[in-house]
Amino acid sequence: MKLSKLFVPTQKEDPADAVVASHKLSIRAGLFRLLTSGVYSVLPLGLIIKNKVEKIIREEMNAIGGNEFLLPALSPNELWNETGRLEDFGDIIFRIKNRELVLAPTHEEVFTSISRNYITSYKQMPQMWYQIQTKFRNESRPKSGVLRGRQFTMKDAYSFDSTWEGLDASYELQEKAYRKIFTRCGLNFFVVSASSGAMGGTKSEEFMVESDAGEDIVVISEDGKYSSNLEVAVSYVDGVSRKGTNLAYEEFHTPAIKSIEELAGFLNITDKSRLAKSRVFVIPAKTEEGKDKYLLTLVCGDDEVNETKLQSLFGASLRPGHPEELMDITGADAGSIGPIGIKGNVKIIADLRLQDADELVSGANKNDYHIKNIDLKRDVQGIKYCDIRTVKEGELTLDKTSKLRVTKSIEVGHIFKLGTKYSVALGAKFLGKDGKDNPIIMGSYGIGIERIIATHIEQNHDSNGIAWSGEIAPFKVILINITTQSKEITEYCDTLYKELMDKNVDVLYDDRDDLRPGFKFKDADLIGIPYQIIVGEKNFKNGDIEFKVRKTGERSIISKSDLSAKLNELLNA
Ligand code: ATP
Ligand code: MG
């Protein structure tokens, strides 16, 4: 490809709204253009890369028996109501105003609806179906370029099995294929266990890339054996010890004390573990006639309650109580709530660390008052103890063999064992070996295409631009003619370009006229093609050309006659 013909609108300036490197560089290198918040046009150079990523994905999906589909982006509300997800997705889902249609954020419903019409017997399974298609999600405040778009391309795959062992096998096939895909895409990734969230199901894992640009927080052990999304991470941590003094609890005045920090200061103590932190959560009623349920959570003052763990304990979505609700239920504002003397009907869940605790301090359910010497076992009836805290940096793995690190990461892929959630909701049944009707057992497996590109840039760039590595580089080599005014040099470059093309070397030829060498060098570094062949007057006179490795910046002057061997060595490596 000749750069004079390829539309690559590079720019010097970072886009004003960009914070993360991949956002800045992907716009500056002319891969994408913003249309409106979270919506990007893919420009020709971006599309070359995107097509390479998709080719890798297709190859790996086909290798595990995947059937490629292409489903519509529009789908009827009716279908989403069958699973209840029109409501569950809330504002994330784009609805069409003048029709009963949505722009699909994912395709479990549509794929399952196809399976319910065509898969009728265990003999037709397993099936592995996938597509590479546009998804629409009304993400709030998208701000990281194509890392989080409102419209983006996803490879989504779905497995259909007649047995749970079959699901395990399909899941494993996808897991292995994902490892190959991300390796071929040049990403340094790891896998974490994750919450299944709105998708439902029994097991899910995320493919993560450590990066400051990430919005997920993960926990990794120093020995690399444990990794988990913070939302579901567990650790070994000491419980609060029992003092056994059996002091009676008593209320005391704590004027204007609202936070655990203020309370610790007021009591002049540094160990906050005995200051029980209380929060109220609401599980909204499922029907209009139903009643909301209330939870009071208790964790140590130096811990935070983990909402995802709470959600999975109750198998329901929940939300923090509003100030009026707190006052109604407990009789106090947020800073003065506690487990003793609650007015309303509230279920109390305490973290495991508090299981044996006594001499605890907590709010008195009366503004500006706290209670001390609380012995949960003695003083509060009906508490349920569960792991509801968020893991912290420096804690140990459950087996106490390694320290945990908490870090930011980008989720590039997600695999789920869905089980029968969608097949039951949509009535996708098959006739089993036992002669009975059974729901199809499903898995779902997603990868964000643009997110792979952006993540690759996050991991492969420097202050001059992108430095592609591996298979998804838009080209392997850029041939730069810096002396286009010389007929001799231009003829040499034209011939070399032709030769490289004939040898199937993936080459971009910067044949643009009337540009200063410095401008061409800057563009080449910004676009980030791995190898640069630079042809200019000075070296050419001596029968030489310059060769540069983009990533290391290493330059060498080599004889024209050695170029072929040099390229062979590098491209075959
Ligand atoms: P996130 O937690 O980042 O919002 P998700 O868990 O909602 O993502 P999934 O439904 O698991 O995403 O989608 C599968 C894959 O699609 C993700 O692993 C990610 O690579 C990609 N993806 C999801 N949302 C976006 C988005 N808004 N922009 C770009 N890629 C996305
Ligand atoms: Mg996900």
Side-chain angles (χ1 to χ4, degrees), residues 312-328:
S312 49
L313 275 176
F314 290 91
S317 55
L318 39 79
R319 60 166 176 81
H322 304 314
E324 321 81 68
E325 286 170 319
L326 301 196
M327 184 52 87
D328 256 16

Side-chain angles (χ1 to χ4, degrees), residues 89 199 250 256 295 367 404 534 566:
F89 268 110
M199 296 288 177
E250 77 186 86
L295 295 180
N367 279 352
L404 298 173
I534 302 157
K566 175 100 184 167

Side-chain angles (χ1 to χ4, degrees), residues 502-546:
D502 288 344
K503 282 192 202 152
N504 277 329
V505 175
D506 203 2
V507 56
L508 179 66
Y509 176 20
D510 189 351
D511 60 333
R512 293 175 298 175
D513 278 329
D514 302 327
L515 289 175
R516 279 177 294 106
F519 189 91
K520 290 192 166 189
F521 294 147
K522 279 218 164 74
D523 264 4
D525 279 357
L526 176 60
I527 294 170
I529 294 163
Y531 303 112
Q532 302 177 1
I533 301 169
I534 302 157
V535 188
E537 206 160 19
K538 207 174 100 209
N539 292 319
F540 195 78
K541 272 195 301 205
N542 305 326
D544 293 333
I545 51 178
E546 192 179 343

Side-chain angles (χ1 to χ4, degrees), residues 211-259:
S211 166
D212 272 346
E215 293 178 25
D216 279 83
I217 304 190
V218 297
V219 177
I220 316 173
S221 66
E222 277 172 355
D223 65 8
K225 287 186 190 150
Y226 177 78
S227 52
S228 171
N229 198 305
L230 182 67
E231 291 179 340
V232 294
V234 290
S235 65
Y236 174 82
V237 52
D238 285 325
V240 177
S241 63
R242 188 162 186 84
K243 294 195 172 175
T245 43
N246 208 20
L247 296 170
Y249 71 73
E250 77 186 86
E251 201 175 274
F252 62 107
H253 192 207
T254 47
I257 302 294
K258 298 263 182 283
S259 67

